[in-house]
Amino acid sequence: MVDRPLFFISVSLITISILFSYSLSSFAILYYEYGEFHFALRQSIAGIFGVLLMWGISRCNPDNFVLRFGFVLFFGGIFVMFIMHFLPESLATSAGGAKRWIRLPFFSLAPVEFFKIGFVAFLAWSFSRKFSLLEQKSLKEEFITFLPYVAVFLIAVYLIAILQNDLGQIVLLGTTLAIMMIFAGSSFKLFLYLLSGAFVLFIAVIVTSTHRIARIKTWWAGAQDLILSFFPQSIANSLRVENLPEPYQIQHSLNAIVNGGILGEGLGNGLIKLGFLSEVHTDVILAGITEEVGFLGLLCISALFIALVFRILKIANRCANNVYYLFCSGVAVILGFSFLINAFGISGLIPIKGIAVPFLSYGGSSILATSIMIGIVLSISKKAKMA
């Protein structure tokens, strides 16, 4: 039987998304002179299609669907993200000088959102064949086994971090790759070596981009007081950097969270959306939500996400098929870490990455891709053993 709690949790999050896409988009509506329900209507259409997709995919037989559909999204995503760079502006929408969306009638498609599904499906299929919880390999053998995945990941780095200038998605995909590898049966020692290598690659990608260096400086401007408070005064003084740019985005996000207090300012009464931050209903939606419904409201939404990830991991734990187990685990990692990266970003704990909150952030591609993920997990749940 399909996991009904997972379906209803997902529908609840979609409903919340539609509500706040209306409440938090007031300034954008006035600025662009859109109709009052411009964003809410589009999010409602995406949400309805998302629910229908979840329901339709949940009825499919995963044995005939998961890997075929996953490979289509994986290789199709690579192809589309590559050619998108060469498309004219009339067909591809740019952000920060990089093309990230393909323009379709009434809709802009972000290929990276659907590529993530294919990436998880590819890793689930391949890891189930290359790694085993029952077979012990030497560290050298594990490195040799892992080398092809380095090549795959570097392709993703080129397509997403370089061509699309989107380091946040690469951090998310790298985290998913590492955790899925542990779930598949690799040693923790290999994980630590790869983590060190990923950190070096991460630093290299940052220092070769003035845009990313500026973002790190902005984050450090807001975070250094808190972080350096844990160090002795002499060390803190030597690490402190003066004359840094003002952490505008983080500062206003924190102001919104503080203004919300325990119960919030009331639905529709938030101030952050009134031009202090652009398009609050997208990447910083958690800050806007917290200001209007307070800490308790954010706590309820966090509980929904915890329940969402818990249900997915519970399904994964019941799967006898290793591919299904790894796919569900990968989906849980993608959704859980997307929420955490966004939440840590708006609270100033890490630099803001521009990662959408699954289901909540405004955007058709994000909500449809997340719905497809959940739909596949729901179809797999029919094969899972009963508790």
Side-chain angles (χ1 to χ4, degrees), residues 132-151:
S132 173
L133 292 169
L134 303 177
E135 180 185 357
Q136 295 295 324
K137 293 183 179 181
S138 67
L139 186 61
K140 181 180 178 180
E141 290 174 327
E142 286 192 313
F143 264 118
I144 294 173
T145 302
F146 187 73
L147 282 178
Y149 302 104
V150 174

Side-chain angles (χ1 to χ4, degrees), residues 38-56:
H38 176 88
F39 294 104
L41 179 61
R42 281 160 175 73
Q43 192 74 343
S44 297
I45 293 172
I48 291 170
F49 272 112
V51 172
L52 292 176
L53 271 173
M54 276 191 285
W55 178 80

Side-chain angles (χ1 to χ4, degrees), residues 153-154 157 167 170-171 191-208:
F153 186 67
L154 289 177
V157 169
L167 183 59
I170 286 299
V171 171
F191 172 76
L192 292 178
Y193 277 111
L194 294 176
L195 187 64
S196 303
F199 181 74
V200 172
L201 178 63
F202 179 75
I203 296 299
V205 171
I206 288 177
V207 299
T208 54

